[in-house]
Amino acid sequence: MTPLEKAKAEPDKAGYLFKLGGKWKNWRKRYFILKLNQLYYFSNPSEPTPRGVVALSGAKVQTHEEEPKPFCFKISTTTKSFSVQQKVTWENRVYFLIAKDESEMKEWI
């Protein structure tokens, strides 16, 4: 079983969040799967290949109160993350995510 198959079968947490695009600065609803120190994101749960993977080892996760949208938090990475679809790798990238409510935001953080 590959790490992705294991993550889909036995996620530590899974659900929808809104993600601010890295290239195009708009908010998109994405399906996220958290497994160990990897955060996979997809357009929907049935998509076979993730749109991207965020490496959480050494990352800093915190609320982002400067964003005018409620329940926003950010992930600041220190290791490589990549977009499968765009075939791009980033180091030290900041991801902005929005949960549906405060309770869900705290669960992801």
Side-chain angles (χ1 to χ4, degrees), residues 14-60:
Y16 283 99
L17 296 167
F18 284 89
K19 177 186 161 295
L20 184 63
K23 186 174 181 180
W24 307 105
K25 300 297 181 189
N26 56 348
W27 293 98
R28 298 277 180 156
K29 188 175 185 180
R30 297 288 184 235
Y31 185 76
F32 286 82
I33 295 176
L34 174 64
K35 184 64 177 179
L36 300 174
N37 63 349
Q38 300 289 320
L39 184 62
Y40 303 89
Y41 59 93
F42 305 81
S43 289
N44 61 65
S46 62
E47 189 174 34
T49 304
R51 291 190 164 263
V53 182
V54 181
L56 298 174
S57 181
K60 184 177 181 181

Coordinates of all heavy atoms in Angstrom, one line a residue, residues 14-60:
A14 N -9.7 14.3 7.7 CA -10.0 14.6 6.3 C -11.3 15.5 6.3 O -12.1 15.5 7.2 CB -10.3 13.3 5.6
G15 N -11.3 16.4 5.3 CA -12.5 17.2 5.1 C -12.2 18.4 4.2 O -11.1 18.5 3.7
Y16 N -13.2 19.2 3.9 CA -13.1 20.3 3.0 C -12.6 21.6 3.8 O -13.0 21.8 4.9 CB -14.5 20.6 2.4 CG -14.8 19.7 1.3 CD1 -15.7 18.6 1.5 CD2 -14.3 19.9 0.0 CE1 -16.0 17.8 0.4 CE2 -14.6 19.0 -1.1 CZ -15.5 18.0 -0.8 OH -15.8 17.1 -1.9
L17 N -11.8 22.3 3.1 CA -11.3 23.6 3.5 C -11.2 24.5 2.2 O -11.1 23.9 1.1 CB -9.9 23.6 4.1 CG -9.7 22.8 5.4 CD1 -8.3 22.6 5.7 CD2 -10.4 23.5 6.6
F18 N -11.2 25.8 2.4 CA -10.9 26.7 1.3 C -9.4 27.0 1.3 O -8.9 27.3 2.4 CB -11.7 27.9 1.4 CG -13.2 27.7 1.0 CD1 -14.1 27.4 1.9 CD2 -13.5 27.9 -0.4 CE1 -15.4 27.1 1.5 CE2 -14.9 27.7 -0.8 CZ -15.8 27.3 0.2
K19 N -8.8 27.0 0.2 CA -7.3 27.2 0.1 C -7.1 28.4 -0.9 O -7.7 28.4 -2.0 CB -6.6 26.0 -0.5 CG -5.1 26.1 -0.7 CD -4.6 24.9 -1.4 CE -3.3 25.1 -2.0 NZ -3.3 26.0 -3.2
L20 N -6.2 29.3 -0.5 CA -5.9 30.4 -1.3 C -4.8 29.9 -2.3 O -3.8 29.4 -2.0 CB -5.3 31.6 -0.5 CG -5.0 32.9 -1.3 CD1 -6.2 33.5 -1.9 CD2 -4.3 33.9 -0.4
G21 N -5.1 30.2 -3.6 CA -4.2 29.7 -4.7 C -2.8 30.4 -4.6 O -2.7 31.5 -4.2
G22 N -1.8 29.6 -4.9 CA -0.5 30.1 -4.9 C -0.2 31.0 -6.1 O 0.5 32.0 -6.0
K23 N -0.7 30.6 -7.3 CA -0.4 31.4 -8.5 C -1.5 32.4 -8.8 O -1.3 33.5 -9.0 CB -0.3 30.4 -9.7 CG 0.1 31.1 -11.0 CD 0.3 30.0 -12.1 CE 0.7 30.7 -13.4 NZ 1.0 29.7 -14.4
W24 N -2.8 31.9 -8.7 CA -3.9 32.7 -8.9 C -4.5 32.9 -7.5 O -4.9 32.0 -6.9 CB -5.0 32.1 -9.8 CG -4.4 31.7 -11.1 CD1 -4.1 30.4 -11.5 CD2 -4.0 32.5 -12.2 NE1 -3.6 30.4 -12.8 CE2 -3.5 31.7 -13.2 CE3 -4.0 33.9 -12.4 CZ2 -3.0 32.3 -14.4 CZ3 -3.6 34.4 -13.6 CH2 -3.1 33.6 -14.6
K25 N -4.6 34.2 -7.0 CA -5.0 34.5 -5.7 C -6.5 34.5 -5.5 O -7.1 35.5 -5.3 CB -4.4 35.8 -5.2 CG -2.8 35.8 -5.3 CD -2.3 34.8 -4.3 CE -0.7 34.9 -4.3 NZ -0.1 33.8 -3.6
N26 N -7.1 33.3 -5.6 CA -8.5 33.1 -5.4 C -8.7 31.9 -4.4 O -7.8 31.1 -4.3 CB -9.3 33.0 -6.7 CG -8.8 31.9 -7.5 OD1 -7.8 31.3 -7.3 ND2 -9.6 31.5 -8.5
W27 N -9.8 31.9 -3.7 CA -10.1 30.9 -2.8 C -10.8 29.7 -3.5 O -11.8 30.0 -4.2 CB -11.0 31.4 -1.7 CG -10.3 32.4 -0.8 CD1 -10.3 33.8 -0.9 CD2 -9.4 32.1 0.3 NE1 -9.5 34.3 0.1 CE2 -8.9 33.3 0.8 CE3 -8.9 30.9 0.8 CZ2 -8.0 33.4 1.9 CZ3 -8.0 31.0 1.9 CH2 -7.6 32.2 2.4
R28 N -10.3 28.5 -3.3 CA -10.9 27.3 -3.9 C -11.2 26.3 -2.8 O -10.4 26.1 -1.9 CB -10.0 26.7 -4.9 CG -9.6 27.5 -6.1 CD -10.7 27.4 -7.1 NE -10.3 28.2 -8.3 CZ -10.7 28.0 -9.5 NH1 -11.5 27.1 -9.7 NH2 -10.3 28.8 -10.4
K29 N -12.4 25.7 -3.0 CA -12.7 24.6 -2.1 C -11.9 23.4 -2.4 O -11.9 22.9 -3.6 CB -14.2 24.3 -2.1 CG -14.7 23.4 -1.1 CD -16.2 23.2 -1.2 CE -16.8 22.4 -0.1 NZ -18.3 22.3 -0.2
R30 N -11.2 22.8 -1.5 CA -10.4 21.6 -1.7 C -10.7 20.6 -0.6 O -11.0 20.9 0.5 CB -8.9 22.0 -1.7 CG -8.5 22.9 -2.8 CD -8.5 22.2 -4.1 NE -8.0 23.1 -5.2 CZ -8.6 23.3 -6.3 NH1 -9.8 22.8 -6.5 NH2 -8.1 24.1 -7.2
Y31 N -10.5 19.3 -1.0 CA -10.6 18.2 0.0 C -9.2 17.9 0.5 O -8.3 17.6 -0.3 CB -11.3 17.0 -0.7 CG -11.6 15.9 0.3 CD1 -12.7 16.0 1.1 CD2 -10.8 14.8 0.3 CE1 -12.9 15.0 2.0 CE2 -11.0 13.8 1.2 CZ -12.1 13.9 2.1 OH -12.4 12.9 3.0
F32 N -9.1 17.9 1.8 CA -7.8 17.7 2.4 C -7.7 16.4 3.2 O -8.7 16.0 3.8 CB -7.4 18.8 3.4 CG -7.0 20.1 2.7 CD1 -8.0 21.0 2.3 CD2 -5.7 20.4 2.6 CE1 -7.6 22.2 1.6 CE2 -5.3 21.6 1.9 CZ -6.3 22.5 1.5
I33 N -6.6 15.7 3.1 CA -6.4 14.5 3.9 C -5.1 14.7 4.7 O -4.0 15.0 4.1 CB -6.3 13.3 3.0 CG1 -7.6 13.0 2.4 CG2 -5.8 12.1 3.9 CD1 -7.6 11.8 1.4
L34 N -5.1 14.6 6.0 CA -3.9 14.7 6.9 C -3.5 13.3 7.3 O -4.4 12.5 7.8 CB -4.3 15.5 8.1 CG -3.2 15.6 9.2 CD1 -1.9 16.3 8.6 CD2 -3.7 16.3 10.4
K35 N -2.3 12.9 7.0 CA -1.8 11.6 7.5 C -0.3 11.8 7.9 O 0.5 12.2 7.1 CB -1.9 10.6 6.4 CG -1.4 9.2 6.8 CD -2.3 8.6 7.9 CE -1.9 7.2 8.3 NZ -2.8 6.7 9.3
L36 N -0.1 11.6 9.2 CA 1.2 11.9 9.8 C 1.7 13.3 9.5 O 1.0 14.2 9.9 CB 2.2 10.8 9.3 CG 1.9 9.4 9.7 CD1 2.8 8.4 9.1 CD2 1.8 9.2 11.2
N37 N 2.8 13.5 8.8 CA 3.3 14.8 8.5 C 3.1 15.3 7.1 O 3.8 16.1 6.6 CB 4.8 14.9 8.9 CG 5.6 14.0 8.1 OD1 5.2 13.2 7.4 ND2 6.9 14.2 8.2
Q38 N 2.1 14.7 6.4 CA 1.7 15.1 5.1 C 0.3 15.5 5.0 O -0.6 14.9 5.5 CB 1.9 13.9 4.1 CG 3.3 13.3 4.1 CD 4.3 14.2 3.4 OE1 4.0 14.8 2.4 NE2 5.5 14.3 3.9
L39 N 0.1 16.6 4.3 CA -1.3 17.2 4.1 C -1.5 17.1 2.6 O -0.9 17.9 1.8 CB -1.4 18.6 4.6 CG -2.8 19.2 4.5 CD1 -3.8 18.4 5.4 CD2 -2.7 20.7 5.0
Y40 N -2.4 16.2 2.1 CA -2.7 16.1 0.7 C -3.9 16.9 0.4 O -4.8 17.0 1.2 CB -3.0 14.6 0.4 CG -1.9 13.7 0.7 CD1 -1.8 13.1 1.9 CD2 -1.0 13.3 -0.3 CE1 -0.9 12.1 2.3 CE2 0.0 12.4 0.0 CZ 0.1 11.8 1.3 OH 1.1 10.9 1.6
Y41 N -4.0 17.5 -0.8 CA -5.3 18.2 -1.1 C -5.7 17.9 -2.6 O -4.8 17.6 -3.4 CB -5.2 19.7 -0.9 CG -4.1 20.5 -1.6 CD1 -4.4 21.1 -2.9 CD2 -2.9 20.7 -1.1 CE1 -3.4 21.8 -3.5 CE2 -1.9 21.4 -1.7 CZ -2.1 22.0 -2.9 OH -1.2 22.7 -3.6
F42 N -7.0 17.8 -2.7 CA -7.6 17.3 -3.9 C -8.8 18.2 -4.3 O -9.3 19.0 -3.4 CB -8.3 15.9 -3.7 CG -7.3 14.9 -3.2 CD1 -7.0 14.8 -1.9 CD2 -6.7 13.9 -4.1 CE1 -6.1 13.8 -1.4 CE2 -5.9 13.0 -3.6 CZ -5.6 12.9 -2.2
S43 N -9.3 18.2 -5.5 CA -10.5 18.9 -5.9 C -11.7 18.3 -5.2 O -12.6 19.0 -4.8 CB -10.7 18.9 -7.4 OG -9.7 19.7 -8.1
N44 N -11.7 17.0 -5.1 CA -12.8 16.3 -4.5 C -12.3 14.9 -4.0 O -11.2 14.5 -4.3 CB -14.0 16.1 -5.5 CG -13.6 15.3 -6.7 OD1 -13.2 14.1 -6.6 ND2 -13.6 15.9 -7.8
P45 N -13.0 14.3 -3.1 CA -12.6 13.0 -2.5 C -12.3 11.9 -3.5 O -11.5 11.0 -3.2 CB -13.7 12.6 -1.5 CG -14.5 13.8 -1.3 CD -14.3 14.7 -2.5
S46 N -12.9 11.9 -4.6 CA -12.8 10.8 -5.6 C -11.6 11.0 -6.5 O -11.3 10.1 -7.3 CB -14.0 10.5 -6.3 OG -14.4 11.7 -7.1
E47 N -11.0 12.2 -6.5 CA -9.8 12.4 -7.4 C -8.7 11.5 -7.0 O -8.3 11.4 -5.9 CB -9.4 13.9 -7.2 CG -8.4 14.3 -8.2 CD -8.1 15.8 -8.2 OE1 -8.2 16.4 -7.0 OE2 -7.9 16.4 -9.2
P48 N -8.1 10.7 -8.0 CA -7.1 9.7 -7.7 C -5.7 10.3 -7.3 O -5.0 9.7 -6.5 CB -7.0 8.9 -8.9 CG -7.5 9.8 -10.0 CD -8.5 10.7 -9.4
T49 N -5.4 11.4 -7.9 CA -4.1 12.0 -7.6 C -4.3 13.4 -6.9 O -5.1 14.2 -7.4 CB -3.3 12.2 -9.0 OG1 -3.3 11.0 -9.6 CG2 -1.9 12.8 -8.7
P50 N -3.5 13.7 -5.9 CA -3.6 15.0 -5.2 C -3.2 16.1 -6.1 O -2.3 15.9 -6.9 CB -2.8 14.8 -4.0 CG -1.8 13.8 -4.3 CD -2.4 12.8 -5.2
R51 N -3.8 17.2 -5.9 CA -3.3 18.5 -6.6 C -2.0 18.9 -6.0 O -1.2 19.6 -6.6 CB -4.4 19.5 -6.5 CG -5.6 19.2 -7.3 CD -6.5 20.4 -7.5 NE -7.4 20.2 -8.5 CZ -7.3 20.6 -9.8 NH1 -6.3 21.3 -10.1 NH2 -8.2 20.3 -10.7
G52 N -1.8 18.6 -4.7 CA -0.6 19.0 -4.1 C -0.4 18.3 -2.7 O -1.3 17.7 -2.2
V53 N 0.8 18.4 -2.2 CA 1.2 17.8 -0.9 C 2.0 18.8 -0.2 O 2.9 19.4 -0.7 CB 2.0 16.5 -1.1 CG1 2.3 15.9 0.2 CG2 1.3 15.5 -2.0
V54 N 1.5 19.0 1.1 CA 2.2 20.0 2.0 C 3.0 19.1 3.0 O 2.4 18.4 3.7 CB 1.2 20.9 2.7 CG1 2.0 21.9 3.6 CG2 0.4 21.6 1.7
A55 N 4.3 19.3 3.0 CA 5.1 18.6 4.0 C 5.1 19.4 5.3 O 5.5 20.6 5.4 CB 6.6 18.5 3.5
L56 N 4.6 18.8 6.4 CA 4.3 19.5 7.6 C 5.5 19.4 8.6 O 5.5 20.0 9.7 CB 3.0 19.0 8.3 CG 1.8 19.2 7.5 CD1 0.6 18.6 8.1 CD2 1.6 20.7 7.3
S57 N 6.5 18.6 8.3 CA 7.6 18.4 9.2 C 8.3 19.8 9.4 O 8.8 20.4 8.4 CB 8.6 17.4 8.6 OG 9.7 17.2 9.5
G58 N 8.3 20.3 10.6 CA 9.0 21.6 10.8 C 8.1 22.8 10.5 O 8.5 23.9 10.6
A59 N 6.9 22.5 10.0 CA 6.0 23.6 9.6 C 5.4 24.3 10.8 O 5.2 23.7 11.9 CB 4.9 23.1 8.7
K60 N 5.0 25.6 10.7 CA 4.4 26.3 11.7 C 2.9 26.6 11.3 O 2.7 27.1 10.2 CB 5.1 27.7 11.9 CG 4.5 28.5 13.1 CD 5.4 29.8 13.3 CE 4.9 30.6 14.4 NZ 5.6 31.8 14.6

